[in-house]
Amino acid sequence: MIKKINQKNVDELSILGFGCMRFPTRGGTIDETRAINMIRSAIENGVNYFDTAYIYHAGKSESLLGKALEDGYRDRVNIATKLPPYMVNKLDNAKKIISTQLTRLRTDHIDYYLLHMLTDLAMYKKMESLGVMEYLEELKREGTIGNIGFSFHGSKQDFEQIIKSYPWDFCQIQYNYLDENNQATKSGLMLAYEMSIPVIVMEPLRGGKLVTGLPKSVIKAFEECDKNKSPAEWGLRWIWNHKEVNVVLSGMSDEKQVEENIRIAGDARENSLTEKELEVFNKVKTIMNEKIKVPCTACAYCMPCPHGVNIPGCFASYNEKYLLEDKMYKVKYAQTLGAMSSTPAYASQCKECGKCELHCPQKIEIRKELKNVSREMEGIMFKTAVKATRKILKIK
């Protein structure tokens, strides 16, 4: 297992991290025996970074991980878990959640602690105003928390604002060969690296969509280059080729995935892809780009929208529907642009002022395309559902 030095604290972290969101299940709940064996097998093979969250498997992910790390395994690994900001409306909420997490994980300290799924600066500012950041710093001084970070699901512009707003110990972003111009984007990855902030990569295979949801022409392109590499191996090696990445999280859900990922992580060094291999990714991206509906590069020159629309975010969700035929595209769109964002930012908020189009380098007919997004992504009950969800989560 290759390990990289955390530039902030000199921890040796395995380049493969175990994402604890997709454990094997049986009868609708986690198959404990299999999951524990998978976790311990990964540890025996060098994996020392395990990422979970308060909400994964309705809390059972943290509990399962805590159980798996008994019998001396806890001292061999780093635990990362997360605080859901949308469930925190006062400091006591955060204190109770963290106390529960320590109990579930059967530990007295959490090595890497994140604000979960930040979408914009306003969400971070809310945590700051409630005293959450000050409390996390207190826990860090006590040794209850080792490092303070955040996971991100928003636009490039929002990422840049958040990462510059606090002296973060690390950050977690979605990144893969399809997402160079989505969410934090490649420029966000580079910014974090330039700021000496360690980067943990999530969704390296888009929840398996870059394995099972690829067009046949993409699979053919990979096989023509090297028929012995699976789509999963291609995707993981592309990320590990980046020197800016510290750890890649894989949500492994069966034993074969654990075995394959560990094998790949044994020799996937930075800058190791050949010219021929890099060229096949250019070919694959060309094929994928032909399926994109809106040629948005997420440069954010169109932002801010005077009416609150997250224009790059809307186009990213819209394109994803056609790229990977994701059946959850409407749910994800509603979550990131309405239900869980600090303020609603969906396409139908567009008032057609046209200001955005004056600044778009790609000369996109933004007003027209936002209408298309609204028509296909929102539906008749969309606004009612978003409003109800925000009320339940107490998001103004």
Side-chain angles (χ1 to χ4, degrees):
M1 174 63 60
I2 297 171
K3 292 184 171 65
K4 294 184 74 171
I5 300 296
N6 178 331
Q7 56 267 46
K8 282 277 188 177
N9 62 15
V10 304
D11 281 351
E12 280 195 350
L13 301 179
S14 56
I15 63 168
L16 173 65
F18 200 124
C20 301
M21 188 173 70
R22 297 186 174 92
F23 286 138
T25 59
R26 183 177 62 181
T29 189
I30 297 174
D31 186 330
E32 284 200 6
T33 300
R34 286 184 64 197
I36 289 173
N37 287 338
M38 286 165 57
I39 289 169
R40 293 185 173 182
S41 174
I43 295 171
E44 295 295 349
N45 283 280
V47 177
N48 69 1
Y49 191 97
F50 288 79
D51 172 270
T52 182
Y54 184 72
I55 62 171
Y56 289 172
H57 287 280
K60 293 180 181 178
S61 173
E62 289 179 327
S63 298
L64 186 283
L65 181 59
K67 187 174 182 179
L69 295 181
E70 291 188 314
D71 303 323
Y73 284 97
R74 172 66 183 98
D75 296 334
R76 300 168 63 177
V77 305
N78 296 279
I79 292 177
T81 193
K82 312 177 190 76
L83 176 76
Y86 50 85
M87 297 179 71
V88 177
N89 290 296
K90 55 184 179 180
L91 182 57
D92 282 347
N93 296 148
K95 290 182 177 181
K96 184 176 180 180
I97 288 171
I98 294 171
S99 176
T100 298
Q101 290 176 305
L102 289 167
T103 300
R104 287 175 177 173
L105 290 164
R106 308 185 189 195
T107 188
D108 61 357
H109 69 285
I110 297 168
D111 306 281
Y112 289 80
Y113 198 76
L114 305 90
L115 298 183
H116 194 181
M117 205 171 77
L118 290 188
T119 58
D120 50 36
L121 184 62
M123 188 176 286
Y124 162 73
K125 288 295 185 182
K126 178 184 176 182
M127 295 299 97
E128 188 178 52
S129 66
L130 292 175
V132 172
M133 302 310 296
E134 185 177 349
Y135 179 61
L136 294 181
E137 290 167 2
E138 180 183 328
L139 294 180
K140 183 178 177 180
R141 288 192 293 271
E142 294 174 357
T144 304
I145 287 176
N147 303 273
I148 301 172
F150 68 99
S151 68
F152 181 76
H153 287 283
S155 70
K156 166 188 171 182
Q157 184 181 43
D158 290 319
F159 178 79
E160 292 175 354
Q161 291 176 338
I162 291 170
I163 203 167
K164 293 176 181 177
S165 66
Y166 182 83
W168 302 102
D169 295 316
F170 70 112
C171 67
Q172 185 168 307
I173 64 172
Q174 177 171 313
Y175 196 66
N176 51 67
Y177 64 79
L178 194 58
D179 282 322
E180 281 191 292
N181 295 315
N182 190 21
Q183 295 199 18
T185 75
K186 183 174 182 177
S187 67
L189 171 67
M190 300 303 294
L191 176 61
Y193 182 75
E194 290 165 5
M195 295 174 68
S196 296
I197 296 176
V199 176
I200 313 298
V201 165
M202 59 183 162
E203 298 294 354
L205 302 174
R206 281 286 196 94
K209 290 293 182 180
L210 295 184
V211 178
T212 60
L214 291 174
K216 291 180 180 179
S217 51
V218 168
I219 295 174
K220 181 181 178 181
F222 281 139
E223 289 180 344
E224 286 177 346
C225 183
D226 188 340
K227 64 180 180 180
N228 294 317
K229 288 187 175 71
S230 68
E233 181 165 354
W234 280 108
L236 291 172
R237 287 188 181 277
W238 183 87
I239 303 170
W240 278 321
N241 198 57
H242 292 68
K243 66 179 181 180
E244 299 84 5
V245 173
N246 292 71
V247 177
V248 174
L249 298 176
S250 178
M252 296 172 273
S253 56
D254 63 46
E255 294 80 1
K256 289 184 178 179
Q257 291 175 6
V258 174
E259 182 180 349
E260 180 183 25
N261 290 354
I262 287 172
R263 174 185 61 78
I264 301 166
D267 66 357
R269 301 185 183 279
E270 60 188 49
N271 300 316
S272 63
L273 291 182
T274 66
E275 186 175 335
K276 179 182 177 182
E277 288 169 331
L278 290 172
E279 183 56 38
V280 78
F281 280 108
N282 291 332
K283 184 176 181 179
V284 164
K285 291 174 191 177
T286 298
I287 294 171
M288 301 292 267
N289 285 336
E290 290 174 353
K291 292 178 171 289
I292 287 176
K293 288 290 184 178
V294 184
C296 174
T297 63
C299 69
Y301 289 169
C302 58
M303 297 293 284
C305 167
H307 304 289
V309 180
N310 181 341
I311 298 169
C314 288
F315 290 156
S317 293
Y318 184 46
N319 284 333
E320 185 170 329
K321 172 188 175 182
Y322 289 93
L323 276 170
L324 300 174
E325 300 179 2
D326 189 346
K327 294 179 181 179
M328 295 294 289
Y329 67 90
K330 285 188 176 181
V331 174
K332 293 177 181 177
Y333 175 86
Q335 285 180 337
T336 58
L337 296 165
M340 294 182 180
S341 54
S342 61
T343 57
Y346 45 81
S348 59
Q349 292 183 167
C350 174
K351 303 300 181 185
E352 299 189 58
C353 68
K355 181 181 177 181
C356 52
E357 295 182 8
L358 298 174
H359 304 287
C360 178
Q362 312 304 322
K363 305 301 179 185
I364 297 168
E365 295 181 72
I366 295 175
R367 288 171 289 181
K368 174 185 173 183
E369 295 297 351
L370 286 176
K371 285 183 180 180
N372 292 333
V373 175
S374 176
R375 183 172 57 252
E376 295 198 31
M377 306 296 282
E378 296 182 14
I380 192 169
M381 296 298 293
F382 175 80
K383 293 181 181 179
T384 301
V386 165
K387 186 176 181 180
T389 303
R390 293 179 72 85
K391 185 176 181 180
I392 291 171
L393 296 176
K394 298 179 180 180
I395 303 174
K396 296 181 179 180

